[in-house]
Amino acid sequence: MSGKKALDALKTVADHMAKSKGFDRLMKDVKIISGGDGQCIAEFTVAEEHLNQAGGLHGGFTATLVDNVTTYALMTKDCPPGVSVDLHVSYLKGAREGDEVVIDAKTVKAGRTLAFIECEMRHKKDNSVIAKGGQTKFVAQ
C-alpha cells in the first residue's frame, strides 16, 4: 500500500488506538506524518504524561512507540498487524518535556510467517537519536 491510501489507513488506525479506553490511548498525541510501502513516520511532543519520575521520556512509553509505529509500518505492506514475538529497544539519549520527537519505522522484511521491522526515534531539532528499536512479528493468517 502506498501514497494517500496508506496514509489515510494509518491515520484511521492511529485515531482508533488514541480513542481506546485502554493503554493505547497514550498514543493520542502521536501524529502520523507519512506512510506507505512498509514505512511510517510519526511525530509527537513529549508531554508530562510521557515522563518518568526523573523528568525524562519514560522507557516504557518509548517501547510502546516502537511497538505501535513499527506495526503501522508493517500494515502498509498489506500485511496483518501480527503478534510480537520479539521487541527490543536501545536507549541512546534522553528527551524532556516539550521536546519534539520523530519516529521513523521501516519494514525490513515481511514473509509468510514472520515480519521484521525497525525504527529510530530522533530529536526533531537536531536529528540526534533518542532510541533505536524493532521487532519481529508472527504474521501468518
Side-chain angles (χ1 to χ4, degrees), residues 23 26-27 29-30 44 46 49-51 57-66 91 121:
F23 183 78
L26 285 175
M27 296 297 290
D29 298 324
V30 179
F44 79 104
V46 179
E49 67 185 337
H50 305 136
L51 303 177
L57 180 62
H58 194 287
F61 184 61
T62 299
T64 297
L65 292 166
V66 169
Y91 302 92
M121 291 178 55

Side-chain angles (χ1 to χ4, degrees), residues 76-98:
T76 69
K77 292 291 271 185
D78 290 327
C79 190
V83 178
S84 302
V85 296
D86 173 66
L87 178 72
H88 56 276
V89 182
S90 296
Y91 302 92
L92 304 169
K93 188 174 187 175
R96 297 283 182 189
E97 187 172 359

Side-chain angles (χ1 to χ4, degrees), residues 20-73:
S20 78
K21 294 184 183 202
F23 183 78
D24 289 323
R25 73 178 177 268
L26 285 175
M27 296 297 290
K28 70 183 181 327
D29 298 324
V30 179
K31 305 295 179 226
I32 305 299
I33 303 305
S34 68
D37 295 325
Q39 184 175 6
C40 180
I41 298 175
E43 292 182 351
F44 79 104
T45 300
V46 179
E48 183 178 13
E49 67 185 337
H50 305 136
L51 303 177
N52 59 28
Q53 289 295 315
L57 180 62
H58 194 287
F61 184 61
T62 299
T64 297
L65 292 166
V66 169
D67 184 8
N68 288 342
V69 179
T70 57
T71 299
Y72 299 163

